Amino acid sequence: MKVKMMMTAVLCCVMTFTTANAQSKSEEILKEAERLAKMADENPNDGKMQYRAATGFIQNELGEKRDLDRSLMYALRALKIAEEAPALKDTLMGLTCLHLGMTYMQKNDMEKCFEYLERATDAFEQELGRHDPVTNGSKLVYSGFILGAQPFRAFPKILEAFYDNNFAPKDKQITNMEEATIMEELTIEMLISQYTQRYRYALPTVWYEGKQYLIVQTADWCVEKPLVGWMVPNMMRSEEERKNHKGDDVILADDKFQFKVLGEQEKKNLNFTYNFKHFLNNPRQLETNPGEARIVFFNNPAQYNDLVAKFREFKAKNK
């Protein structure tokens, strides 16, 4: 019994000492944060001092004494200074935006979090260059953080990270970038999922004999499937395989959902060209040509499903 009581007393002493030690460390960190804040207040035009003050109030060791609002105040001051002196190459803009992004994450404001993480990667690229490992590592990691919520938003920068790292000078490349290919693959999978939803009620159109038709079936695809990957099988074939591949008939539908099966010669008369021009004197408008292929979206899923039902009836009658 004595031994047990002594052990309990020792454990209590250890816990008390640990707690007291943690409190002491927390007080020291807070004291240092206040010192940095005082220096920042006395030097309002020094961006680095504002940034250091911002980081002082957000350290994990502060626990409940962490002050996100004061951290944001000093970080926003640093950002303003960095924005007014964009020619500086000292990473103040990048580091400050990164700090703001992580702080807003802790405040559960994810839109501002994503905004500042994007701005951080842009700033590193401006300050350090597109081939710098800080730039590409940041693009990969912080865009990967955005990926789960907004794949379309994250994908371009993840792609840039791989592309730019590949073409960077050897002494600036991230040496084990292949470790991150799982992120590239998962990004593509998420995009496929997102695009499948986006093009679930969409069909390509084509011009035939001066009239616009919906394409409802090709050699490898039909209207019963989402319009994602509909041209991939043919693109992956060799030239010889394309010549020999027959597959299913090409079937069109007019605006009344009347179907037309095209023969081999008729398929050659399809106009599936698409062109877009862009002029600086009218930058908000793409110049297009009438009578070219496009994709149309059905705003009413019931109308799309009606087309699918009629397509199935047509196929059943023409087996």
Side-chain angles (χ1 to χ4, degrees):
M1 181 65 72
K2 269 186 182 179
V3 174
K4 187 174 182 180
M5 289 178 65
M6 287 177 65
M7 288 298 295
T8 303
V10 169
L11 286 172
C12 286
C13 287
V14 171
M15 290 175 65
T16 302
F17 175 77
T18 303
T19 303
N21 190 48
Q23 288 177 341
S24 175
K25 187 174 182 180
S26 173
E27 288 169 2
E28 288 178 11
I29 293 173
L30 184 59
K31 184 177 179 181
E32 175 63 11
E34 292 292 355
R35 186 186 73 81
L36 292 173
K38 185 173 183 296
M39 290 180 63
D41 291 339
E42 291 172 351
N43 298 273
N45 296 319
D46 191 317
K48 291 183 179 179
M49 285 190 178
Q50 309 306 314
Y51 171 74
R52 284 195 286 268
T55 62
F57 288 106
I58 204 172
Q59 296 188 52
N60 289 330
E61 291 86 349
L62 289 173
E64 295 180 355
K65 294 180 180 179
R66 293 165 77 244
D67 194 332
L68 299 181
D69 290 329
R70 285 187 78 184
S71 182
L72 283 177
M73 179 185 75
Y74 285 106
L76 289 170
R77 286 184 187 177
L79 179 63
K80 186 173 186 298
I81 293 168
E83 288 174 334
E84 291 173 352
L88 294 177
K89 301 293 183 182
D90 58 4
T91 68
L92 177 61
M93 175 77 81
L95 290 173
T96 300
C97 287
L98 178 56
H99 177 84
L100 284 164
M102 302 312 292
T103 305
Y104 277 116
M105 179 187 70
Q106 293 175 69
K107 289 176 73 70
N108 293 317
D109 188 338
M110 299 312 294
E111 183 52 41
K112 283 191 176 179
C113 168
F114 294 166
E115 174 191 342
Y116 281 108
L117 291 182
E118 285 180 325
R119 287 187 64 180
T121 60
D122 290 341
F124 286 136
E125 181 170 331
Q126 180 183 358
E127 293 166 334
L128 302 171
R130 62 182 291 182
H131 292 134
D132 193 272
V134 171
T135 301
N136 288 316
S138 298
K139 282 183 179 181
L140 179 73
V141 172
Y142 298 115
S143 298
F145 180 75
I146 299 170
L147 177 64
Q150 298 184 28
F152 284 121
R153 187 173 184 173
F155 178 66
K157 289 189 181 296
I158 292 174
L159 189 64
E160 281 180 16
F162 281 95
Y163 182 85
D164 289 342
N165 186 72
N166 186 54
F167 286 96
K170 291 293 184 184
D171 63 338
K172 287 199 170 186
Q173 287 182 342
I174 296 174
T175 58
N176 62 335
M177 196 68 160
E178 67 277 0
E179 295 278 356
T181 52
I182 187 171
M183 184 183 293
E184 185 180 40
E185 160 60 18
L186 289 174
T187 303
I188 292 169
E189 295 290 336
M190 294 177 79
L191 285 175
I192 290 172
S193 173
Q194 293 284 313
Y195 275 116
T196 298
Q197 294 300 321
R198 180 174 178 178
Y199 288 97
R200 181 65 189 88
Y201 302 108
L203 289 174
T205 67
V206 70
W207 283 80
Y208 178 73
E209 296 182 343
K211 184 178 177 181
Q212 189 178 43
Y213 286 86
L214 298 167
I215 301 177
V216 294
Q217 181 173 287
T218 68
D220 302 292
W221 168 90
C222 74
V223 69
E224 296 174 303
K225 306 173 186 177
L227 190 65
V228 174
W230 65 291
M231 296 189 75
V232 168
N234 199 48
M235 289 178 173
M236 294 182 69
R237 295 185 183 104
S238 67
E239 192 64 34
E240 188 63 28
E241 288 172 331
R242 289 179 191 174
K243 290 178 183 177
N244 298 326
H245 180 74
K246 299 300 180 182
D248 294 324
D249 293 323
V250 173
I251 302 178
L252 309 180
D254 62 19
D255 55 0
K256 295 182 175 61
F257 295 171
Q258 298 297 310
F259 301 101
K260 180 178 182 60
V261 181
L262 300 187
E264 288 300 316
Q265 188 58 42
E266 291 176 303
K267 281 191 273 187
K268 296 178 181 179
N269 296 329
L270 288 177
N271 179 13
F272 197 78
T273 58
Y274 54 93
N275 292 285
F276 302 95
K277 298 174 185 175
H278 184 254
F279 297 103
L280 298 181
N281 60 0
N282 188 19
R284 296 185 61 196
Q285 187 74 34
L286 292 174
E287 294 291 331
T288 60
N289 299 321
E292 293 187 339
R294 295 289 185 268
I295 288 176
V296 296
F297 292 84
F298 286 72
N299 296 322
N300 183 356
Q303 186 183 27
Y304 185 92
N305 292 332
D306 181 44
L307 173 60
V308 173
K310 290 181 177 179
F311 172 77
R312 289 171 177 163
E313 291 174 8
F314 177 79
K315 290 280 287 186
K317 291 177 181 177
N318 293 274
K319 279 185 177 180

